[in-house]
Short mmCIF file of all heavy atoms in Angstrom, two decimals:
data_model
loop_
_atom_site.label_atom_id
_atom_site.label_comp_id
_atom_site.label_asym_id
_atom_site.label_seq_id
_atom_site.Cartn_x
_atom_site.Cartn_y
_atom_site.Cartn_z
N PRO A 1 0.83 -1.21 0.00
CA PRO A 1 0.00 0.00 0.00
C PRO A 1 0.86 1.26 0.00
O PRO A 1 2.07 1.20 0.28
CB PRO A 1 -0.80 -0.12 1.30
CG PRO A 1 0.14 -0.84 2.22
CD PRO A 1 0.91 -1.81 1.34
N HIS A 2 0.25 2.37 -0.28
CA HIS A 2 0.94 3.65 -0.18
C HIS A 2 0.88 4.18 1.25
O HIS A 2 1.74 4.97 1.66
CB HIS A 2 0.30 4.68 -1.12
CG HIS A 2 0.31 4.27 -2.55
ND1 HIS A 2 -0.69 3.49 -3.11
CD2 HIS A 2 1.21 4.52 -3.55
CE1 HIS A 2 -0.42 3.29 -4.39
NE2 HIS A 2 0.72 3.89 -4.68
N VAL A 3 -0.16 3.75 1.99
CA VAL A 3 -0.39 4.26 3.34
C VAL A 3 -0.77 3.09 4.25
O VAL A 3 -1.57 2.23 3.86
CB VAL A 3 -1.52 5.31 3.36
CG1 VAL A 3 -1.76 5.82 4.78
CG2 VAL A 3 -1.20 6.46 2.41
N LEU A 4 -0.23 3.08 5.45
CA LEU A 4 -0.65 2.14 6.49
C LEU A 4 -1.02 2.95 7.73
O LEU A 4 -0.23 3.77 8.20
CB LEU A 4 0.47 1.16 6.84
CG LEU A 4 0.20 0.27 8.08
CD1 LEU A 4 -0.92 -0.73 7.80
CD2 LEU A 4 1.47 -0.46 8.52
N VAL A 5 -2.22 2.70 8.26
CA VAL A 5 -2.67 3.36 9.48
C VAL A 5 -2.94 2.29 10.53
O VAL A 5 -3.71 1.36 10.29
CB VAL A 5 -3.95 4.19 9.23
CG1 VAL A 5 -4.38 4.90 10.52
CG2 VAL A 5 -3.73 5.20 8.12
N VAL A 6 -2.32 2.43 11.69
CA VAL A 6 -2.43 1.45 12.77
C VAL A 6 -3.16 2.09 13.95
O VAL A 6 -2.64 3.03 14.57
CB VAL A 6 -1.04 0.95 13.22
CG1 VAL A 6 -1.17 -0.10 14.31
CG2 VAL A 6 -0.25 0.41 12.03
N THR A 7 -4.36 1.60 14.28
CA THR A 7 -5.15 2.22 15.35
C THR A 7 -5.50 1.32 16.53
O THR A 7 -5.91 1.84 17.57
CB THR A 7 -6.47 2.78 14.80
OG1 THR A 7 -7.36 1.70 14.45
CG2 THR A 7 -6.24 3.66 13.58
N PRO A 8 -5.39 -0.02 16.46
CA PRO A 8 -5.90 -0.85 17.57
C PRO A 8 -5.20 -0.57 18.90
O PRO A 8 -4.01 -0.27 18.96
CB PRO A 8 -5.61 -2.28 17.10
CG PRO A 8 -5.54 -2.19 15.62
CD PRO A 8 -4.91 -0.87 15.35
N GLY A 9 -5.98 -0.66 19.97
CA GLY A 9 -5.42 -0.50 21.31
C GLY A 9 -6.37 -1.07 22.34
O GLY A 9 -7.59 -1.12 22.14
N VAL A 10 -5.80 -1.50 23.46
CA VAL A 10 -6.61 -2.03 24.55
C VAL A 10 -5.98 -1.56 25.86
O VAL A 10 -4.78 -1.30 25.92
CB VAL A 10 -6.67 -3.58 24.50
CG1 VAL A 10 -5.31 -4.20 24.77
CG2 VAL A 10 -7.72 -4.12 25.45
N ASN A 11 -6.81 -1.43 26.89
CA ASN A 11 -6.31 -0.98 28.19
C ASN A 11 -6.96 -1.80 29.30
O ASN A 11 -8.15 -2.14 29.21
CB ASN A 11 -6.61 0.50 28.40
CG ASN A 11 -5.92 1.07 29.63
OD1 ASN A 11 -5.02 0.45 30.20
ND2 ASN A 11 -6.33 2.27 30.03
N VAL A 12 -6.20 -2.14 30.30
CA VAL A 12 -6.71 -2.73 31.54
C VAL A 12 -6.41 -1.72 32.64
O VAL A 12 -5.26 -1.54 33.01
CB VAL A 12 -6.05 -4.09 31.85
CG1 VAL A 12 -6.53 -4.61 33.20
CG2 VAL A 12 -6.35 -5.10 30.74
N ARG A 13 -7.45 -1.04 33.11
CA ARG A 13 -7.26 0.01 34.13
C ARG A 13 -7.11 -0.65 35.49
O ARG A 13 -8.08 -1.10 36.09
CB ARG A 13 -8.46 0.97 34.12
CG ARG A 13 -8.55 1.82 32.89
CD ARG A 13 -9.74 2.76 32.97
NE ARG A 13 -9.74 3.66 31.83
CZ ARG A 13 -9.05 4.78 31.75
NH1 ARG A 13 -8.30 5.16 32.78
NH2 ARG A 13 -9.09 5.55 30.68
N ARG A 14 -5.87 -0.65 35.96
CA ARG A 14 -5.59 -1.30 37.24
C ARG A 14 -4.25 -0.79 37.76
O ARG A 14 -3.34 -0.52 36.97
CB ARG A 14 -5.56 -2.81 37.07
CG ARG A 14 -5.51 -3.62 38.34
CD ARG A 14 -5.85 -5.07 38.06
NE ARG A 14 -7.24 -5.19 37.62
CZ ARG A 14 -7.69 -6.18 36.85
NH1 ARG A 14 -6.87 -7.11 36.40
NH2 ARG A 14 -8.96 -6.23 36.51
N ALA A 15 -4.13 -0.62 39.06
CA ALA A 15 -2.86 -0.20 39.64
C ALA A 15 -1.77 -1.20 39.28
O ALA A 15 -2.02 -2.42 39.18
CB ALA A 15 -2.99 -0.09 41.16
N LEU A 16 -0.55 -0.70 39.10
CA LEU A 16 0.54 -1.57 38.70
C LEU A 16 0.75 -2.72 39.69
O LEU A 16 1.03 -3.85 39.28
CB LEU A 16 1.84 -0.77 38.58
CG LEU A 16 2.01 0.08 37.32
CD1 LEU A 16 3.33 0.85 37.39
CD2 LEU A 16 1.96 -0.77 36.06
N LEU A 17 0.61 -2.45 40.97
CA LEU A 17 0.83 -3.50 41.96
C LEU A 17 -0.24 -4.58 41.92
O LEU A 17 -0.03 -5.67 42.46
CB LEU A 17 0.91 -2.90 43.36
CG LEU A 17 2.02 -1.87 43.60
CD1 LEU A 17 2.07 -1.47 45.07
CD2 LEU A 17 3.38 -2.41 43.14
N ASP A 18 -1.35 -4.29 41.26
CA ASP A 18 -2.43 -5.26 41.16
C ASP A 18 -2.47 -5.97 39.82
O ASP A 18 -3.31 -6.85 39.60
CB ASP A 18 -3.79 -4.56 41.40
CG ASP A 18 -3.91 -4.00 42.80
OD1 ASP A 18 -3.31 -4.58 43.72
OD2 ASP A 18 -4.60 -2.97 42.96
N TYR A 19 -1.56 -5.59 38.91
CA TYR A 19 -1.56 -6.19 37.58
C TYR A 19 -1.17 -7.67 37.65
O TYR A 19 -0.26 -8.05 38.39
CB TYR A 19 -0.57 -5.46 36.67
CG TYR A 19 -1.20 -4.76 35.49
CD1 TYR A 19 -1.99 -3.63 35.69
CD2 TYR A 19 -1.03 -5.23 34.19
CE1 TYR A 19 -2.57 -2.98 34.62
CE2 TYR A 19 -1.59 -4.58 33.12
CZ TYR A 19 -2.38 -3.46 33.33
OH TYR A 19 -2.97 -2.82 32.27
N THR A 20 -1.85 -8.48 36.86
CA THR A 20 -1.48 -9.89 36.73
C THR A 20 -0.67 -10.07 35.44
O THR A 20 -0.64 -9.19 34.57
CB THR A 20 -2.74 -10.77 36.65
OG1 THR A 20 -3.44 -10.47 35.44
CG2 THR A 20 -3.65 -10.53 37.86
N ASP A 21 -0.04 -11.21 35.34
CA ASP A 21 0.68 -11.51 34.10
C ASP A 21 -0.27 -11.51 32.91
O ASP A 21 0.10 -11.08 31.80
CB ASP A 21 1.37 -12.88 34.21
CG ASP A 21 2.61 -12.84 35.08
OD1 ASP A 21 3.05 -11.73 35.44
OD2 ASP A 21 3.14 -13.94 35.41
N GLU A 22 -1.49 -11.99 33.13
CA GLU A 22 -2.47 -12.04 32.06
C GLU A 22 -2.85 -10.62 31.61
O GLU A 22 -2.98 -10.36 30.41
CB GLU A 22 -3.72 -12.81 32.50
CG GLU A 22 -3.51 -14.31 32.68
CD GLU A 22 -2.75 -14.67 33.96
OE1 GLU A 22 -2.64 -13.80 34.88
OE2 GLU A 22 -2.24 -15.80 34.05
N ASP A 23 -3.04 -9.72 32.57
CA ASP A 23 -3.34 -8.33 32.23
C ASP A 23 -2.21 -7.73 31.40
O ASP A 23 -2.43 -7.10 30.37
CB ASP A 23 -3.51 -7.48 33.50
CG ASP A 23 -4.69 -7.87 34.35
OD1 ASP A 23 -5.67 -8.41 33.80
OD2 ASP A 23 -4.64 -7.64 35.57
N PHE A 24 -1.00 -7.93 31.89
CA PHE A 24 0.18 -7.37 31.23
C PHE A 24 0.30 -7.89 29.80
O PHE A 24 0.49 -7.12 28.85
CB PHE A 24 1.43 -7.73 32.03
CG PHE A 24 2.70 -7.11 31.52
CD1 PHE A 24 3.12 -5.87 31.98
CD2 PHE A 24 3.48 -7.77 30.57
CE1 PHE A 24 4.30 -5.30 31.52
CE2 PHE A 24 4.64 -7.20 30.09
CZ PHE A 24 5.06 -5.95 30.57
N ASP A 25 0.17 -9.19 29.65
CA ASP A 25 0.31 -9.79 28.32
C ASP A 25 -0.78 -9.29 27.37
O ASP A 25 -0.51 -9.05 26.18
CB ASP A 25 0.24 -11.31 28.41
CG ASP A 25 1.48 -11.91 29.06
OD1 ASP A 25 2.50 -11.19 29.17
OD2 ASP A 25 1.41 -13.08 29.48
N ARG A 26 -1.98 -9.13 27.87
CA ARG A 26 -3.08 -8.69 27.01
C ARG A 26 -2.80 -7.31 26.43
O ARG A 26 -2.99 -7.08 25.23
CB ARG A 26 -4.39 -8.66 27.81
CG ARG A 26 -5.59 -8.20 26.98
CD ARG A 26 -6.83 -8.05 27.83
NE ARG A 26 -7.93 -7.53 27.05
CZ ARG A 26 -9.02 -6.96 27.56
NH1 ARG A 26 -9.15 -6.85 28.88
NH2 ARG A 26 -9.98 -6.51 26.77
N VAL A 27 -2.35 -6.39 27.27
CA VAL A 27 -2.11 -5.02 26.81
C VAL A 27 -0.86 -4.95 25.93
O VAL A 27 -0.88 -4.33 24.86
CB VAL A 27 -1.99 -4.07 28.02
CG1 VAL A 27 -1.67 -2.65 27.55
CG2 VAL A 27 -3.27 -4.08 28.83
N VAL A 28 0.22 -5.58 26.36
CA VAL A 28 1.46 -5.51 25.61
C VAL A 28 1.35 -6.23 24.27
O VAL A 28 1.84 -5.75 23.23
CB VAL A 28 2.63 -6.07 26.44
CG1 VAL A 28 3.90 -6.19 25.60
CG2 VAL A 28 2.90 -5.18 27.65
N ASP A 29 0.70 -7.39 24.26
CA ASP A 29 0.63 -8.16 23.02
C ASP A 29 -0.13 -7.42 21.92
O ASP A 29 0.28 -7.46 20.76
CB ASP A 29 -0.04 -9.52 23.29
CG ASP A 29 0.90 -10.50 23.96
OD1 ASP A 29 2.10 -10.19 24.07
OD2 ASP A 29 0.44 -11.59 24.37
N LEU A 30 -1.21 -6.76 22.28
CA LEU A 30 -1.97 -6.04 21.25
C LEU A 30 -1.32 -4.70 20.92
O LEU A 30 -1.02 -4.43 19.76
CB LEU A 30 -3.41 -5.81 21.70
CG LEU A 30 -4.27 -5.12 20.64
CD1 LEU A 30 -4.62 -6.10 19.52
CD2 LEU A 30 -5.56 -4.55 21.24
N ASN A 31 -1.10 -3.88 21.93
CA ASN A 31 -0.65 -2.51 21.68
C ASN A 31 0.77 -2.41 21.14
O ASN A 31 1.05 -1.56 20.28
CB ASN A 31 -0.73 -1.68 22.97
CG ASN A 31 -2.14 -1.52 23.49
OD1 ASN A 31 -3.09 -2.02 22.92
ND2 ASN A 31 -2.27 -0.81 24.60
N LEU A 32 1.66 -3.25 21.64
CA LEU A 32 3.07 -3.12 21.25
C LEU A 32 3.49 -4.19 20.26
O LEU A 32 4.00 -3.89 19.18
CB LEU A 32 3.95 -3.17 22.50
CG LEU A 32 5.40 -2.71 22.31
CD1 LEU A 32 5.47 -1.30 21.75
CD2 LEU A 32 6.16 -2.80 23.62
N ARG A 33 3.29 -5.46 20.62
CA ARG A 33 3.72 -6.52 19.71
C ARG A 33 2.90 -6.51 18.42
O ARG A 33 3.44 -6.71 17.32
CB ARG A 33 3.61 -7.88 20.39
CG ARG A 33 4.32 -9.00 19.60
CD ARG A 33 4.03 -10.37 20.22
NE ARG A 33 4.47 -10.43 21.60
CZ ARG A 33 5.72 -10.74 21.98
NH1 ARG A 33 6.63 -11.01 21.07
NH2 ARG A 33 6.03 -10.81 23.26
N GLY A 34 1.59 -6.27 18.52
CA GLY A 34 0.76 -6.22 17.32
C GLY A 34 1.18 -5.08 16.40
O GLY A 34 1.26 -5.24 15.18
N THR A 35 1.45 -3.91 16.98
CA THR A 35 1.94 -2.79 16.19
C THR A 35 3.27 -3.13 15.54
O THR A 35 3.51 -2.84 14.36
CB THR A 35 2.09 -1.54 17.08
OG1 THR A 35 0.79 -1.15 17.55
CG2 THR A 35 2.72 -0.39 16.32
N PHE A 36 4.17 -3.75 16.30
CA PHE A 36 5.47 -4.15 15.77
C PHE A 36 5.32 -5.06 14.55
O PHE A 36 6.01 -4.90 13.54
CB PHE A 36 6.28 -4.85 16.85
CG PHE A 36 7.54 -5.49 16.35
CD1 PHE A 36 8.65 -4.73 16.03
CD2 PHE A 36 7.61 -6.87 16.16
CE1 PHE A 36 9.82 -5.31 15.56
CE2 PHE A 36 8.77 -7.46 15.69
CZ PHE A 36 9.88 -6.68 15.39
N ARG A 37 4.40 -6.03 14.63
CA ARG A 37 4.20 -6.95 13.50
C ARG A 37 3.81 -6.17 12.24
O ARG A 37 4.35 -6.43 11.16
CB ARG A 37 3.10 -7.96 13.84
CG ARG A 37 3.49 -9.01 14.85
CD ARG A 37 2.43 -10.11 14.91
NE ARG A 37 2.79 -11.14 15.87
CZ ARG A 37 2.26 -11.27 17.08
NH1 ARG A 37 1.31 -10.43 17.47
NH2 ARG A 37 2.64 -12.24 17.89
N LEU A 38 2.89 -5.24 12.38
CA LEU A 38 2.44 -4.47 11.22
C LEU A 38 3.56 -3.61 10.66
O LEU A 38 3.75 -3.52 9.45
CB LEU A 38 1.24 -3.60 11.61
CG LEU A 38 -0.05 -4.35 11.92
CD1 LEU A 38 -1.04 -3.44 12.65
CD2 LEU A 38 -0.68 -4.90 10.64
N LEU A 39 4.31 -2.96 11.55
CA LEU A 39 5.41 -2.12 11.10
C LEU A 39 6.46 -2.93 10.36
O LEU A 39 6.99 -2.51 9.32
CB LEU A 39 6.06 -1.42 12.30
CG LEU A 39 5.22 -0.38 13.04
CD1 LEU A 39 6.02 0.20 14.20
CD2 LEU A 39 4.76 0.72 12.11
N GLN A 40 6.75 -4.10 10.87
CA GLN A 40 7.79 -4.92 10.26
C GLN A 40 7.37 -5.45 8.90
O GLN A 40 8.11 -5.33 7.91
CB GLN A 40 8.14 -6.08 11.19
CG GLN A 40 9.37 -6.86 10.78
CD GLN A 40 9.74 -7.91 11.80
OE1 GLN A 40 8.94 -8.79 12.11
NE2 GLN A 40 10.96 -7.82 12.33
N VAL A 41 6.17 -5.99 8.82
CA VAL A 41 5.72 -6.60 7.56
C VAL A 41 5.53 -5.55 6.47
O VAL A 41 6.04 -5.69 5.35
CB VAL A 41 4.41 -7.40 7.80
CG1 VAL A 41 3.78 -7.79 6.47
CG2 VAL A 41 4.70 -8.64 8.64
N PHE A 42 4.79 -4.48 6.79
CA PHE A 42 4.53 -3.48 5.77
C PHE A 42 5.73 -2.56 5.55
O PHE A 42 5.91 -2.02 4.46
CB PHE A 42 3.27 -2.68 6.12
CG PHE A 42 2.01 -3.44 5.86
CD1 PHE A 42 1.38 -4.13 6.89
CD2 PHE A 42 1.45 -3.48 4.60
CE1 PHE A 42 0.23 -4.85 6.66
CE2 PHE A 42 0.30 -4.19 4.35
CZ PHE A 42 -0.32 -4.89 5.38
N GLY A 43 6.57 -2.39 6.58
CA GLY A 43 7.79 -1.63 6.39
C GLY A 43 8.68 -2.25 5.34
O GLY A 43 9.30 -1.55 4.53
N ARG A 44 8.75 -3.58 5.34
CA ARG A 44 9.58 -4.27 4.34
C ARG A 44 9.08 -4.02 2.92
O ARG A 44 9.87 -3.70 2.02
CB ARG A 44 9.57 -5.78 4.62
CG ARG A 44 10.38 -6.22 5.82
CD ARG A 44 10.56 -7.73 5.82
NE ARG A 44 11.28 -8.20 7.00
CZ ARG A 44 10.73 -8.91 7.97
NH1 ARG A 44 9.44 -9.25 7.92
NH2 ARG A 44 11.44 -9.29 9.01
N THR A 45 7.78 -4.15 2.72
CA THR A 45 7.25 -4.00 1.35
C THR A 45 7.34 -2.56 0.88
O THR A 45 7.66 -2.29 -0.28
CB THR A 45 5.80 -4.50 1.27
OG1 THR A 45 4.95 -3.71 2.11
CG2 THR A 45 5.70 -5.95 1.69
N MET A 46 7.09 -1.60 1.79
CA MET A 46 7.18 -0.19 1.41
C MET A 46 8.62 0.19 1.09
O MET A 46 8.89 0.93 0.13
CB MET A 46 6.62 0.69 2.52
CG MET A 46 5.11 0.66 2.64
SD MET A 46 4.55 1.78 3.96
CE MET A 46 2.77 1.69 3.75
N ALA A 47 9.56 -0.30 1.89
CA ALA A 47 10.97 -0.01 1.64
C ALA A 47 11.40 -0.55 0.29
O ALA A 47 12.14 0.10 -0.46
CB ALA A 47 11.84 -0.58 2.75
N ALA A 48 10.92 -1.74 -0.05
CA ALA A 48 11.26 -2.32 -1.34
C ALA A 48 10.68 -1.50 -2.49
O ALA A 48 11.29 -1.39 -3.56
CB ALA A 48 10.75 -3.76 -1.41
#
């Protein structure tokens, strides 16, 4: 594509001391790892 727009996000509103591993993984996997996947895959094709 000529343009890629990345908007997905999720939040678990909870104090850090109360966060579970499951909470942490849910937020990080979508917001950060998911964004990384899109940047990497489409970054390669756009660069080419």
Side-chain angles (χ1 to χ4, degrees):
H2 301 87
V3 179
L4 171 68
V5 181
V6 182
T7 71
V10 67
N11 190 13
V12 175
R13 291 181 175 276
R14 190 165 294 154
L16 282 178
L17 300 186
D18 296 329
Y19 244 70
T20 66
D21 285 350
E22 290 75 16
D23 295 333
F24 185 90
D25 289 344
R26 180 186 176 199
V27 177
V28 172
D29 283 352
L30 183 74
N31 296 1
L32 195 56
R33 192 187 301 274
T35 295
F36 171 75
R37 287 191 179 103
L38 291 165
L39 293 179
Q40 190 175 58
V41 168
F42 284 96
R44 286 193 183 111
T45 63
M46 287 182 173

